[in-house]
Amino acid sequence: MADTLENINPKLYRRTDERQITEKDEDEDIVDDFDTREIFDLIKNINDPEHPLTLEELNVVEQSLIEIDNKSNRIHVKFTPTIPHCSMATLIGLSIRVQLLRVLPSRFKVSVEIAPGTHLSEAAVNKQLADKERVAAALENSHLLEVINQCIGIKC
């Protein structure tokens, strides 16, 4: 957590309603593809590293910026930092990626990137988030992993 806030007064957005469970959702015998709402529900409550708010409340993640290809087992999430020079963008991207890798079946290839045109260092951050070795090295850093776990809401 930074000593000074970069975005001292972020704009807040309305949270989505909870998803209604149907009989079809409860039937264990039905093979059901993942949809963008399910993926959104998995990441919307990740905490912002700077504010006591969720990524949904800050409009950092949106259902419309999630793409799923169930046939090729690919999930692609774009996110929008609250300010164009957000120094927490890589940490936010890592938190989204780690959360999805932890809860989704291992068959999925997960990619996370900044929405085009929303960050001054978009290309550099996207390159870091796409590099498997750099992500793995980041997750070996115990302090960084602790911060990611706090964002995801896991108590250490």
Side-chain angles (χ1 to χ4, degrees):
M1 195 97 130
D3 291 339
T4 58
L5 297 176
E6 287 183 10
N7 186 1
I8 200 155
N9 192 17
K11 182 176 179 182
L12 297 181
Y13 294 81
R14 185 175 179 273
R15 295 179 68 120
T16 55
D17 294 329
E18 289 301 315
R19 192 175 195 170
Q20 298 301 311
I21 305 294
T22 64
E23 283 184 38
K24 180 184 160 214
D25 294 328
E26 292 292 315
D27 189 343
E28 298 291 327
D29 296 328
I30 296 176
V31 177
D32 192 18
D33 284 341
F34 282 90
D35 62 23
T36 57
R37 177 60 193 258
E38 284 176 287
I39 302 305
F40 178 72
D41 287 345
L42 293 172
I43 62 175
K44 70 181 184 176
N45 291 318
I46 294 173
N47 296 306
D48 181 83
E50 239 186 354
H51 297 283
L53 301 165
T54 67
L55 297 185
E56 178 188 24
E57 291 170 317
L58 294 169
N59 212 39
V60 171
V61 294
E62 300 175 64
Q63 186 176 340
S64 64
L65 295 177
I66 298 170
E67 299 169 11
I68 297 178
D69 184 343
N70 281 287
K71 287 188 173 77
S72 64
N73 297 313
R74 293 184 179 274
I75 296 175
H76 184 75
V77 177
K78 294 178 189 155
F79 69 97
T80 307
T82 58
I83 50 176
H85 56 277
C86 177
S87 65
M88 301 288 171
T90 304
L91 180 59
I92 291 168
L94 278 171
S95 296
I96 294 168
R97 186 168 175 171
V98 167
Q99 170 68 356
L100 291 176
L101 291 173
R102 286 181 179 172
V103 298
L104 290 172
S106 61
R107 72 177 187 267
F108 282 104
K109 180 180 185 318
V110 174
S111 59
V112 177
E113 69 177 16
I114 293 178
T118 63
H119 194 275
L120 297 175
S121 302
E122 172 187 329
V125 173
N126 287 344
K127 185 176 180 179
Q128 286 181 314
L129 292 172
D131 186 326
K132 287 182 194 175
E133 287 79 23
R134 288 176 91 169
V135 169
L139 297 178
E140 288 178 7
N141 178 318
S142 61
H143 175 69
L144 186 56
L145 187 58
E146 184 178 326
V147 173
I148 290 169
N149 283 336
Q150 287 173 353
C151 290
I152 292 173
I154 296 173
K155 304 289 184 239
C156 299

